[in-house]
Amino acid sequence: MSLAKTLKSYLLWTHERGSLHYDVMVTLILLFIFIGPKYVNFKDKPAERTPHQTGVVVNPDGQGGFFYQVDASAVESQASLPVEDALLRVIEPVAGEVRLVDYKAVTDANGKVLFYRARVHRP
């Protein structure tokens, strides 16, 4: 068998299982899978995961409810709504249907709102 015919048969995968050429093809594939990443830069990296994509942190309140810490930017992006409705619009995709009990704006030394701390209960 000539070299060209052998390479063509490898490419078309024409050898029967258990034959020498079949075993060579499988070995080459396994070597590529397991050793290739060490020597070839595939430029693949794990996707960066932002821990709080919605800007919401959930903590229990000790009374059967939860405190939701919501970034001010998430609430301010819905400026046409009252703060209560904006908070619920951000919290409900995370928590499901809830009732807002109360909330407090947490500010920095200059009075800028950093985040809102909202306490909610399920109806």
Side-chain angles (χ1 to χ4, degrees):
M1 200 180 238
S2 72
L3 180 62
K5 283 185 180 181
T6 303
L7 290 176
K8 182 179 177 184
S9 68
Y10 276 35
L11 183 66
L12 297 176
W13 201 269
T14 58
H15 299 283
E16 289 191 31
R17 190 173 185 182
S19 68
L20 174 69
H21 291 290
Y22 183 92
D23 292 343
V24 169
M25 290 186 300
V26 170
T27 303
L28 290 173
I29 291 169
L30 290 173
L31 286 172
F32 177 76
I33 291 172
F34 292 110
I35 298 176
K38 185 173 183 174
Y39 298 104
V40 179
N41 182 9
F42 292 106
K43 297 182 182 170
D44 60 337
K45 295 181 179 162
E48 277 193 38
R49 185 174 108 36
T50 5
H52 307 294
Q53 293 176 344
T54 58
V56 178
V57 179
V58 183
N59 294 308
D61 70 355
Q63 302 170 1
F66 294 96
F67 281 114
Y68 286 81
Q69 180 177 309
V70 181
D71 283 345
S73 61
V75 175
E76 291 166 359
S77 68
Q78 302 174 27
S80 62
L81 296 174
V83 174
E84 295 87 355
D85 293 339
L87 283 169
L88 283 174
R89 191 169 271 184
V90 173
I91 293 171
E92 283 184 338
V94 175
E97 187 178 341
V98 292
R99 181 177 55 85
L100 182 64
V101 176
D102 62 0
Y103 72 93
K104 176 184 175 189
V106 178
T107 59
D108 63 6
N110 298 328
K112 180 183 178 208
V113 177
L114 300 174
F115 59 87
Y116 292 89
R117 188 173 172 139
R119 189 164 48 112
V120 300
H121 284 281
R122 295 197 183 274

